[in-house]
Amino acid sequence: MIINNILLYIDPGTGSIILQAIVAAVAGVTVFIKFGWRSVLRFFGIKKGDKKDP
Amino acid sequence: MIQNKIVESSFRDPSGFLFMEEGRLLRQVNPVYADDYDFLMGSGLYEKLVENKLMVPHREISGHPGCTQPVYKVIEPETIEFISYPYEWSFSQLKDAALTTLMIQKIALEHGMTLKDSSAYNLQFRNGTPVFIDTLSFEIYHEGTPWAAYGQFCQHFLAPLALMSYTDIRLNQLLKIHLDGIPLDLAGRLLPFKTRLRFSLLMHIHLHAKARKKYEHKGSASKTVRIKRSNLFALIDVLISAVKKLEPGKRDTEWGKYYSFTNYSDSSFSHKRELLEGFLKQTGTRTLWDLGANSGEFTQVAAQSGIDCIAFDIDPVAVETYYNHIKQEKITNVLPLIMDLTNPSPSTGWNNEERLSFSQRPRPDTILALALVHHLAISNNLPLARIAEFLSGLCQNLIIEFVPKTDSQVRKLLESRKDVFPGYDEENFGKEFSAFFTIIAKERIRDSERILYLMKKNR
């Protein structure tokens, strides 16, 4: 079971897990699109490489 | 196991606990945590976190003095001199602690581990910045596993930050009642409607609260949930962005602009500074609490002489201002905290022992109480004798300013109420404080009616 090890300490909450799965999926898609869009812009030379975090 | 020496903030975690041994703070690692501990130390995660000043370093202790229960390891973590709590932090202090937690979770995932909890009490301020103190919070990450501490993160960090930002900056005080973070349904009810229009707050707080209610008694559904590692990284990124976007709420406090409304002239201000510098030198102070510090104008006098300072103030805006100042100026020996001296932090949690009260924490050499006594005596009806007794319980040296009734600030306090303080004068002040302290020096502040005292606690 995936959840067994995390039941050891705090209760993650079923609602939190399900909501998290939805948010993470949406976030994953968003990041993918953002990354893809940046690649497109870079391909056409509209945008240069990402700035590094300070 | 050394029952009588266990530190009461650490007994919930089956992985180990903190205890005191001959004045040293040690952490026992239980055998059940052996694999996770070895992974933490062997994966490069520990080095990375310590190197980036995100977690306190520790050293392993050979031999396990006094331990009767099975022990895997005993470690000695670097100690934090003064433990503070989230309900004493200003908005940006809590925000920085939240971002540090998320940064740690991201680095942990990169190293094949995950945070098994994300309690705000796992962070403390060291040299001006938040640092993670719970070495046993990491566990080996299994592909597909959701982040067990996501809900706790929202309760401990996102909900109070959103409330302070959108509803009222004073709502961090809810953390004093809800030690495991603010329940999301409560946060949802207190937040204004417009927060439902912000995608991050709609998801992480409002819909999160609804999801929790819906699945309250349906434990089995979660066992089938799998989340890809890349999506977990994306989740951390959206949480970072949600936290970063939150800004402290605007509120005009009585103190926010205090220094533009004082009755000091430039000359009394600089004279007060000079007197303070002299008194601090005379006492050889190494640690200092500034009570009623406001945004730290005079705490800085002590800090600049290398004294470790904690600046307490009741006003969350003043504490926020001072924290931002020390952050910007990279000042490492000051910790600003929110504290109502007429109702200081109590000891709370299980058996009233999990979180220490204000007076249970390590006390300073010297207390600085400038422009404070009239607020306690007149605004809060506290007899001078009680104030003297309270302060004598906290320090050896006291630098205190007496503000007489003729001072315009005190006149203002008395404008709207009956003067029921016949004993509030310089003579009585000296008499009441002399019951607990010896007056070493007494100087009138130039161009003002105020008097600065240096006192030493009676033996």
Side-chain angles (χ1 to χ4, degrees):
Chain A
M1 283 293 118
I2 299 161
I3 227 88
N4 280 352
N5 63 327
I6 57 178
L7 282 181
L8 267 175
Y9 185 40
I10 61 165
D11 177 6
T14 309
S16 291
I17 296 281
I18 290 170
L19 195 272
Q20 178 187 163
I22 299 166
V23 178
V26 173
V29 172
T30 314
V31 169
F32 182 77
I33 293 172
K34 228 166 155 181
F35 185 76
W37 183 240
R38 277 184 193 158
S39 310
V40 172
L41 292 180
R42 265 199 303 275
F43 180 78
F44 288 107
I46 298 168
K47 195 177 178 204
K48 285 182 182 160
D50 282 342
K51 275 187 207 161
K52 274 252 178 200
D53 278 342
Chain B
M1 184 163 63
I2 313 153
Q3 273 295 357
N4 57 348
K5 293 173 188 166
I6 287 187
V7 174
E8 289 298 332
S9 59
S10 71
F11 62 86
R12 289 181 199 271
D13 187 357
S15 308
F17 57 86
L18 285 163
F19 63 99
M20 294 299 292
E21 178 83 13
E22 292 166 359
R24 288 195 303 174
L25 181 70
L26 302 176
R27 194 187 282 279
Q28 172 168 324
V29 183
N30 290 336
V32 69
Y33 190 70
D35 289 347
D36 295 301
Y37 179 80
D38 289 341
F39 201 96
L40 169 72
M41 301 310 290
S43 61
L45 175 58
Y46 169 82
E47 278 86 359
K48 173 102 180 177
L49 294 177
V50 169
E51 199 180 293
N52 287 290
K53 298 188 168 72
L54 292 169
M55 185 165 82
V56 290
H58 68 256
R59 63 189 190 94
E60 291 181 8
I61 303 287
S62 51
H64 312 126
C67 297
T68 52
Q69 205 180 264
V71 177
Y72 179 62
K73 289 253 164 74
V74 173
I75 59 174
E76 181 174 18
E78 182 187 289
T79 49
I80 303 288
E81 287 303 317
F82 188 92
I83 297 292
S84 61
Y85 301 122
Y87 42 82
E88 297 162 352
W89 299 344
S90 72
F91 179 88
S92 292
Q93 286 173 306
L94 186 62
K95 182 174 172 175
D96 286 348
L99 292 172
T100 304
T101 303
L102 292 171
M103 185 63 70
I104 291 171
Q105 169 65 355
K106 205 170 174 180
I107 299 171
L109 276 174
E110 284 163 2
H111 287 78
M113 295 199 92
T114 181
L115 281 175
K116 65 180 179 182
D117 67 339
S118 54
S119 161
Y121 297 88
N122 282 345
L123 290 114
Q124 285 299 326
F125 282 85
R126 182 188 62 174
N127 301 334
T129 51
V131 65
F132 200 76
I133 57 163
D134 189 1
T135 318
L136 310 188
S137 266
F138 300 88
E139 64 184 8
I140 297 166
Y141 167 74
H142 299 283
E143 194 63 46
T145 320
W147 185 26
Y150 165 72
Q152 199 182 31
F153 179 85
C154 294
Q155 286 175 207
H156 277 241
F157 294 106
L158 202 59
L161 285 170
L163 286 169
M164 287 166 89
S165 177
Y166 282 97
T167 306
D168 195 298
I169 198 153
R170 291 167 293 184
L171 282 176
N172 69 328
Q173 292 304 304
L174 279 179
L175 291 167
K176 219 181 253 180
I177 310 164
H178 300 284
L179 287 187
D180 195 24
I182 299 170
L184 297 179
D185 61 325
L186 175 61
R189 287 165 71 104
L190 293 172
L191 284 169
F193 181 79
K194 64 179 176 188
T195 56
R196 286 174 167 79
L197 307 176
R198 286 266 311 257
F199 183 74
S200 56
L201 297 180
L202 174 71
M203 295 305 280
H204 299 305
I205 294 181
H206 296 290
L207 293 182
H208 194 168
K210 281 200 166 40
R212 280 194 162 182
K213 189 153 179 56
K214 187 172 176 190
Y215 293 100
E216 210 169 4
H217 304 294
K218 297 174 190 163
S220 58
S222 62
K223 290 183 181 170
T224 52
V225 173
R226 291 183 70 85
I227 299 179
K228 280 198 300 190
R229 189 195 292 239
S230 60
N231 284 359
L232 269 192
F233 277 114
L235 173 73
I236 305 303
D237 284 340
V238 296
L239 282 171
I240 289 175
S241 133
V243 171
K244 276 189 176 168
K245 276 183 195 150
L246 291 170
E247 291 299 333
K250 296 272 177 283
R251 179 181 160 246
D252 252 344
T253 65
E254 56 190 306
W255 297 111
K257 294 166 188 162
Y258 185 76
Y259 280 91
S260 18
F261 295 113
T262 50
N263 53 3
Y264 306 145
S265 65
D266 284 349
S267 101
S268 32
F269 204 87
S270 58
H271 188 219
K272 194 164 156 180
R273 280 186 66 108
E274 280 166 32
L275 289 174
L276 177 58
E277 277 167 13
F279 286 173
L280 288 171
K281 215 172 264 175
Q282 201 173 330
T283 52
T285 297
R286 283 176 306 159
T287 53
L288 176 134
W289 287 1
D290 188 353
L291 305 183
N294 202 303
S295 37
E297 279 74 5
F298 288 99
T299 321
Q300 273 311 109
V301 175
Q304 279 158 6
S305 347
I307 296 168
D308 286 330
C309 302
I310 299 176
F312 294 103
D313 203 277
I314 188 172
D315 180 47
V317 176
V319 176
E320 172 74 10
T321 307
Y322 195 20
Y323 176 69
N324 287 330
H325 175 76
I326 66 155
K327 213 171 124 177
Q328 199 180 342
E329 300 296 321
K330 298 192 166 48
I331 295 164
T332 56
N333 58 341
V334 178
L335 174 60
L337 293 175
I338 299 167
M339 188 69 66
D340 176 358
L341 292 171
T342 63
N343 180 22
S345 297
S347 52
T348 53
W350 179 252
N351 207 18
N352 288 117
E353 286 180 330
E354 264 184 282
R355 310 288 167 225
L356 300 171
S357 74
F358 169 70
S359 55
Q360 279 173 326
R361 285 173 260 179
R363 292 162 197 184
D365 301 333
T366 300
I367 278 186
L368 190 58
L370 303 177
L372 175 74
V373 73
H374 56 301
H375 290 289
L376 297 178
I378 291 173
S379 309
N380 289 284
N381 291 35
L382 284 159
L384 289 172
R386 297 248 176 181
I387 301 171
E389 185 184 10
F390 169 72
L391 295 173
S392 73
L394 296 175
C395 65
Q396 293 304 315
N397 308 302
L398 173 66
I399 299 171
I400 188 165
E401 182 180 22
F402 179 72
V403 188
K405 271 188 196 171
T406 46
D407 185 282
S408 63
Q409 294 287 333
V410 181
R411 281 212 303 269
K412 208 185 284 171
L413 293 180
L414 285 168
E415 251 167 28
S416 54
R417 59 175 303 174
K418 198 176 161 195
D419 182 355
V420 289
F421 312 99
Y424 185 83
D425 57 32
E426 188 189 328
E427 192 190 333
N428 256 309
F429 177 81
K431 202 178 97 197
E432 301 287 15
F433 272 75
S434 295
F436 299 92
F437 292 95
T438 304
I439 297 172
I440 307 288
K442 177 181 166 183
E443 295 275 353
R444 188 170 296 277
I445 297 166
R446 198 185 298 144
D447 295 337
S448 87
E449 298 181 64
R450 302 175 168 212
I451 302 162
L452 196 64
Y453 289 81
L454 170 63
M455 305 187 187
K456 200 166 189 66
K457 190 181 162 181
N458 293 338
R459 283 181 189 275

